[in-house]
Amino acid sequence: MDNIIVIVVAAVVGLAIGFAIAKMMEKGKASKTIANAKKEAAYIVKEANKEGESIKKDKIFQAKEKFLELKAEHEKVIINKDKKIAEAEKRTRDKESQVSSELAKNKKLNDQYQQKIKEVEYKSDILDKKQSEVEKLHKSQVQQLEVISGLSAEDAKAQLLESLKETAKSDAMAYLQNTLEEAKLTAQQEARKIVVNTIQRIGTEEAVENCVSVFNLESDDVKGRIIGREGRNIRAIEAATGVEIIVDDTPEAIILSCFDSVRREVARLSLHRLVTDGRIHPARIEEVVKKTEKQINEEIAEIGKRTVIDLGIHGLHPELIKAVGRMKYRSSYGQNLLQHSREVAKLCGVMAAELGLNPKLAKRAGLLHDIGKVPMAEVEVETPHAILGMQWAQKFGEKDEVCNAIGAHHDEIEMTTLLSPIVQVCDAISGARPGARRQVLDSYIQRLKDLEDIAFGFHGVQKAYAIQAGRELRVIVESEKVNDDKAAELSFEISQKIQTDMTYPGQVKVTVIRETRSVNVAK
């Protein structure tokens, strides 16, 4: 028990001593830690002071640099301002000097002007004096002349005016006569120029129309079927179409003869349908002819529409359009009437435009000028075609200028507008053009042949061509036989030969062409 107590006491004393030692050690450690912390704090404060000094120096350096930079910019701005101020001052000084010089100059000019005014006033006074002296002298001279001539000034003036009037009148009449002659010559030249230009710009193909048509057959056996028993089929065809059918010895062909091209076309198409179908008898013939007539009438209307559209003519009455279509199946002296009317319309349009008139109205009159040649009824045939065409135009609401141009193009009535002579002239141009109508074609071809034959009659001529409707002859010569000088002489000789041996309208231009060719082959 006592041992336990001793152990316990020893343990307690040991614990107290250990606690005291621990406290002492902890206190020493704490003081050491505090000392270390103080040292570290002092070091940190020292380093912070160093870093603060460094930062302070950097900031001060940056501030100095910024200050120097701002100072440099400010000085630069001040320098620029000073420079501008100096320039402004210089310009001001220049302006002042310029103004001063201008003022001096103006002052000088003003002084000169004042001097001139004084001189002019002085001269004006002198002139007034001189004028008064001249007037006095003139009056004295007039009085002396009146005394010498025995006439007063008014009488002398009247005689002088009368003589001047006579002289001026005679001079004016001579000038007027010359002007009129020159105007006539110029007008004729301009008219010829317009006509020639119009003819050259309008060129349409012309084909001579005939009064017969040939209907070809596959074999001569068909002729018998067309004739029929005792000729009843051929009589039925002739009665239905109004066309004479000629069946002769011509192999595989029969001839349709009629002055009316529409009837002839109806007969031709009807025969074609009948022969193709194979059924040929009077009832069938009448049926086919009626269908064909209907088809031809529709075709006529379509042709008329196409024609007026091509020519740019609008607002034409349907009956007049049909009349235009019927022109395709009419001919005048062998010239197709529709082709003739189209050509006249184009000629009228060009000529009216050259003369400053309405070209559309001129085209209208040119197209309709011959519609009287396609009468709508047989009783109308006795009326002249120009008058009949004018009556139709009036009936269907055409303008007075167009109606007068249609009626007056063959001088049946008086011309009242400028459009009428244009239509008349263009109609003559179209009809008289070489090759357009049958009676002119042969003489035209012969004239061209004679021109070429005259050229071939000269030595050295290789080829000769009559061109431009016989208005020009181009002659190609052999370069070995004809030199340049001889070519000019040949041209003159040919022109003289044509002038003496031929009769021709207008003039013929002779062109001699000489060509030398050198040909080599590179191999």
Side-chain angles (χ1 to χ4, degrees):
M1 184 73 178
D2 290 333
N3 290 330
I4 293 170
I5 293 170
V6 172
I7 292 169
V8 169
V9 172
V12 170
V13 172
L15 286 172
I17 293 169
F19 179 76
I21 293 171
K23 282 290 185 180
M24 289 176 65
M25 289 178 66
E26 183 178 355
K27 186 176 179 182
K29 188 177 181 180
S31 61
K32 188 178 181 180
T33 302
I34 290 170
N36 292 332
K38 286 181 178 180
K39 289 180 180 180
E40 187 175 355
Y43 177 76
I44 290 170
V45 169
K46 186 178 180 182
E47 291 294 328
N49 289 330
K50 288 182 179 180
E51 188 175 354
E53 289 295 330
S54 177
I55 292 171
K56 181 180 178 181
K57 290 179 180 179
D58 291 338
K59 292 296 182 181
I60 292 172
F61 181 72
Q62 291 177 0
K64 287 182 178 180
E65 286 183 349
K66 187 67 175 178
F67 173 75
L68 292 174
E69 183 179 350
L70 292 174
K71 184 179 179 182
E73 290 180 357
H74 182 66
E75 289 177 352
K76 187 175 180 181
V77 171
I78 292 174
I79 291 171
N80 289 332
K81 288 184 178 179
D82 292 341
K83 185 177 181 182
K84 290 181 180 178
I85 291 171
E87 291 178 353
E89 289 177 352
K90 182 181 179 182
R91 287 197 298 270
T92 304
R93 289 194 297 271
D94 293 340
K95 289 288 184 181
E96 289 177 354
S97 62
Q98 186 177 359
V99 169
S100 299
S101 62
E102 289 291 336
L103 288 174
K105 186 177 180 181
N106 288 335
K107 185 177 180 181
K108 185 178 180 181
L109 290 174
N110 190 21
D111 295 339
Q112 293 177 357
Y113 177 69
Q114 294 297 331
Q115 184 67 26
K116 291 288 184 184
I117 289 175
K118 292 180 181 179
E119 292 178 0
V120 169
E121 290 177 351
Y122 176 72
K123 289 181 180 179
S124 177
D125 294 338
I126 295 175
L127 286 175
D128 291 338
K129 294 179 181 179
K130 291 288 185 182
Q131 186 175 0
S132 60
E133 293 177 0
V134 169
E135 288 178 354
K136 291 179 182 179
L137 183 62
H138 176 70
K139 288 180 181 179
S140 63
Q141 288 179 350
V142 169
Q143 291 174 357
Q144 292 178 4
L145 288 173
E146 288 177 352
V147 172
I148 294 171
S149 61
L151 295 173
S152 64
E154 294 297 329
D155 294 337
K157 183 178 180 181
Q159 290 184 4
L160 179 62
L161 287 176
E162 191 66 29
S163 63
L164 289 175
K165 282 182 182 179
E166 292 296 329
T167 305
K169 187 176 180 181
S170 61
D171 292 342
M173 289 299 295
Y175 177 75
L176 180 62
Q177 187 68 25
N178 293 333
T179 304
L180 287 175
E181 292 296 330
E182 183 178 357
K184 288 180 181 180
L185 180 61
T186 305
Q188 290 177 356
Q189 291 175 350
E190 288 297 322
R192 292 192 187 102
K193 181 180 177 181
I194 291 174
V195 171
V196 171
N197 288 339
T198 304
I199 294 172
Q200 289 177 344
R201 288 172 59 182
I202 304 297
T204 58
E205 296 182 358
E206 296 291 344
V208 176
E209 297 287 335
N210 297 314
C211 294
V212 296
S213 298
V214 178
F215 182 74
N216 296 314
L217 304 173
E218 294 181 357
S219 65
D220 289 336
D221 297 337
V222 183
K223 287 184 179 181
R225 296 172 59 192
I226 292 175
I227 295 172
R229 184 178 297 178
E230 297 178 357
R232 63 177 185 174
N233 289 344
I234 195 170
R235 286 197 300 272
I237 295 173
E238 290 179 345
T241 60
V243 175
E244 182 182 0
I245 300 177
I246 302 172
V247 182
D248 54 12
D249 296 335
T250 305
E252 298 180 356
I254 60 175
I255 297 174
L256 309 178
S257 177
C258 182
F259 287 100
D260 191 332
S261 301
V262 176
R263 293 180 183 176
R264 201 164 64 245
E265 184 67 12
V266 169
R268 189 186 69 80
L269 293 177
S270 300
L271 278 174
H272 178 72
R273 289 185 176 182
L274 290 170
V275 171
T276 303
D277 184 54
R279 294 176 295 168
I280 305 177
H281 53 81
R284 177 63 178 166
I285 289 170
E286 292 179 1
E287 178 185 353
V288 170
V289 168
K290 287 181 180 179
K291 289 182 179 179
T292 305
E293 287 178 348
K294 183 178 179 181
Q295 177 187 346
I296 290 295
N297 289 331
E298 293 175 354
E299 184 180 349
I300 285 172
E302 184 63 26
I303 291 170
K305 290 179 182 178
R306 287 202 304 268
T307 301
V308 296
I309 290 173
D310 291 343
L311 294 175
I313 297 173
H314 305 284
L316 203 63
H317 194 277
E319 291 298 327
L320 294 179
I321 292 177
K322 291 180 182 178
V324 172
R326 282 198 298 273
M327 289 182 184
K328 180 182 178 181
Y329 300 101
R330 293 291 188 275
S331 61
S332 177
Y333 298 99
Q335 184 181 23
N336 183 271
L337 193 58
L338 180 60
Q339 292 292 335
H340 167 65
S341 298
R342 287 172 64 99
E343 183 179 6
V344 171
K346 293 179 181 178
L347 289 168
C348 289
V350 174
M351 194 171 290
E354 291 289 341
L355 296 175
L357 302 178
N358 188 345
K360 292 186 177 180
L361 205 62
K363 281 185 179 181
R364 201 181 191 95
L367 179 64
L368 300 177
H369 81 285
D370 269 348
I371 56 172
K373 290 185 178 181
V374 284
M376 299 180 183
E378 296 296 334
V379 294
E380 296 175 337
V381 175
E382 297 179 358
T383 307
H385 75 275
I387 303 299
L388 183 59
M390 181 184 68
Q391 293 173 356
W392 287 358
Q394 292 172 345
K395 178 180 178 182
F396 296 120
E398 290 297 318
K399 293 184 178 180
D400 294 338
E401 296 95 327
V402 176
C403 297
N404 182 259
I406 295 172
H409 78 277
H410 283 311
D411 294 323
E412 277 86 359
I413 62 173
E414 183 181 358
M415 296 182 181
T416 58
T417 64
L418 290 175
L419 205 60
S420 301
I422 290 177
V423 173
Q424 186 182 53
V425 170
C426 294
D427 179 44
I429 291 172
S430 175
R433 187 145 58 83
R437 294 186 173 179
R438 185 180 292 113
Q439 70 269 28
V440 186
L441 179 61
D442 295 338
S443 60
Y444 164 68
I445 294 175
Q446 186 61 40
R447 183 161 65 87
L448 297 184
K449 188 175 182 301
D450 292 342
L451 281 173
E452 295 176 355
D453 290 342
I454 287 176
F456 282 119
F458 288 85
H459 177 71
V461 175
Q462 185 179 8
K463 296 178 183 178
Y465 301 102
I467 60 176
Q468 293 188 5
R471 291 192 296 273
E472 182 176 354
L473 179 64
R474 290 191 179 178
V475 181
I476 300 175
V477 298
E478 299 178 11
S479 58
E480 296 83 2
K481 297 180 180 179
V482 180
N483 56 24
D484 290 338
D485 296 335
K486 183 64 177 177
E489 182 181 350
L490 181 62
S491 175
F492 176 76
E493 291 177 354
I494 292 175
S495 64
Q496 293 300 311
K497 182 72 172 177
I498 293 172
Q499 187 172 343
T500 56
D501 293 358
M502 291 188 62
T503 302
Y504 51 90
Q507 59 186 12
V508 179
K509 178 182 178 182
V510 179
T511 303
V512 175
I513 301 172
R514 179 179 179 271
E515 181 183 26
T516 303
R517 295 188 182 183
S518 298
V519 180
N520 290 291
V521 179
K523 297 182 180 180

